[in-house]
Amino acid sequence: MLEPIGLDAAEEDVYRQLVARRLARAEDLAEATGRCAAEIGDVLASLIERGLASGGDPVFVPAPPSVSLGALLRRRQADLRDAEFAVAALAEEYRTSGLPNDVIEILTDVQAVRRRFFQIQEAARDEVCSMVVPDLRVVPHRKNTAEGAALRRGVRYRALLDRRAFSGPDMTDDIRASLAAGQQIRVVDTVPIKMMIVDGETALLPLYGDRHDSPASVLIHRSGLLSVLISYFEAEWERGYPLRAGPSELIETHPDDLDDLDRQVLALLLSGLTDQAVAGQLGLSARTLHRRIRQLMGKAGVDSRIQLGWVAARKQWA
């Protein structure tokens, strides 16, 4: 447990014995830990040098953990902050001082591709967008352990799924698990190429667009080319149908899911009428109207009425 602040297993073992006993002889510590006298002597010398213990033959005492270990912890935190600044500086130097062809990194070895696939997700701060084709082979969906970890630390995931991917083995269960973990998934008839975009700064996609099983890939950094890929993803995302998990099946939300009453509610809302006026014209209670509006927002995949109006106009729902 104390290895991250610089103690090895033997030092931690002996220090814990000292803390538990408050004072101890070297031979007592050797008996309690099962270590030889020579090793105990070396460990005690190291603990004394680092300010974690004091004393000498015949009795040793521990320094208070809150003071001695707290100092080590603060020192390690300062080292990590310095390392973080150094990484940021190196990343900025890499981004700005290289040749123009540094925009594109070509990866051909399957292990290198997998390593980059996980690295860019582990470094994600805000969002990971992906386009998913059928029959993923280089990194099968269930082996993407970085996804779950990123979702748990608050990274948003949006996946555009090729409808043909549903036929893959165990794919339905995997999709349900992803939805339950908080991923947003939309479905289109065909995804032309697999792709992942992280934080709007990096994109990973195949070197050969028609060979989904080939490990050869390109990593594209911030550039005009990356901006085009981001715009392409967003356009495809808009035409996708939101996916949700029903009790027994996965359900796509289509414009045709709207019934006549939904369309009437939308039409009246878009005309500028108040909720009270809409409810009065349709003979609905306020509670029923508000429930209908919430359902419409869910079908549109939006969080506000303004967004609902925009999606409704774009998809010609009313």
Side-chain angles (χ1 to χ4, degrees):
M1 294 294 293
L2 300 180
E3 184 178 356
I5 59 174
L7 272 70
D8 63 25
E11 290 170 336
E12 179 175 349
D13 198 7
V14 171
Y15 182 70
R16 285 183 180 277
Q17 289 293 330
L18 279 174
V19 169
R21 297 163 182 262
R22 293 299 181 96
L23 56 89
R25 296 177 303 168
E27 52 265 36
D28 297 330
L29 295 170
E31 182 179 354
T33 62
R35 302 176 186 276
C36 68
E39 183 180 8
I40 291 295
D42 292 339
V43 170
L44 286 169
S46 175
L47 292 177
I48 291 172
E49 182 180 355
R50 301 171 70 176
L52 295 174
S54 60
D57 290 335
V59 176
F60 297 86
V61 297
S66 61
V67 176
S68 57
L69 295 182
L72 289 178
L73 179 60
R74 287 188 293 274
R75 192 176 308 135
R76 185 56 57 94
Q77 289 171 334
D79 291 342
L80 288 173
R81 284 195 296 272
D82 292 342
E84 184 178 1
F85 292 142
V87 169
L90 284 170
E92 182 64 14
E93 181 179 354
Y94 179 82
R95 187 183 71 82
T96 59
S97 65
L99 297 173
N101 61 4
D102 286 342
V103 166
I104 298 177
E105 181 180 351
I106 298 178
L107 309 169
T108 55
D109 177 70
V110 65
Q111 293 303 324
V113 172
R114 288 173 178 166
R115 187 162 52 248
R116 279 287 193 274
F117 178 80
F118 287 110
Q119 282 177 342
I120 62 176
Q121 291 180 87
E122 289 163 355
R125 302 181 304 275
D126 302 310
E127 182 178 56
V128 175
C129 301
S130 60
M131 300 178 74
V132 183
V133 300
D135 192 23
L136 293 171
R137 296 187 186 180
V138 179
V139 184
H141 187 265
R142 286 196 171 185
K143 293 188 177 180
N144 183 12
T145 54
E147 177 184 301
L151 283 166
R152 286 191 292 273
R153 69 172 184 271
V155 177
R156 181 189 184 199
Y157 267 71
R158 289 190 290 157
L160 191 66
L161 181 65
D162 189 310
R163 186 173 286 105
R164 296 170 297 174
F166 283 108
S167 61
D170 301 318
M171 195 64 178
T172 298
D173 291 339
D174 291 350
I175 292 171
R176 280 183 170 275
S178 293
L179 288 169
Q183 184 169 168
Q184 298 178 40
I185 300 177
R186 292 191 179 185
V187 181
V188 291
D189 290 334
T190 304
V191 170
I193 190 168
K194 62 180 178 181
M195 177 170 63
M196 176 175 284
I197 302 173
V198 177
D199 289 338
E201 297 178 352
T202 308
L204 182 67
L205 63 158
L207 182 60
Y208 307 107
D210 58 343
R211 293 170 55 186
H212 298 318
D213 59 342
S214 171
S217 301
V218 289
L219 192 68
I220 299 175
H221 300 281
R222 191 180 302 172
S223 59
L225 179 56
L226 179 60
S227 298
V228 170
L229 293 175
I230 293 171
S231 297
Y232 173 66
F233 174 85
E234 294 296 347
E236 292 295 294
W237 179 258
E238 284 302 321
R239 74 180 184 88
Y241 298 125
L243 191 67
R244 60 186 176 88
S248 60
E249 61 182 351
L250 296 171
I251 301 171
E252 297 177 30
T253 302
H254 289 257
D256 293 340
D257 291 340
L258 272 62
D259 59 23
D260 290 340
L261 183 55
D262 285 334
R263 295 183 185 279
Q264 292 177 48
V265 168
L266 271 175
L268 293 173
L269 286 175
L270 293 175
S271 69
L273 293 184
T274 64
D275 287 2
Q276 184 177 2
V278 172
Q281 285 203 28
L282 298 177
L284 303 174
S285 67
R287 178 177 296 179
T288 299
L289 175 64
H290 292 157
R291 187 178 68 251
R292 282 274 178 170
I293 294 173
R294 286 196 301 272
Q295 290 172 348
L296 285 167
M297 290 168 62
K299 290 178 180 179
V302 299
D303 301 315
S304 71
R305 294 192 182 193
I306 293 175
Q307 292 173 319
L308 174 60
W310 185 83
V311 172
R314 184 180 180 86
K315 294 182 177 289
Q316 299 181 341
W317 282 359

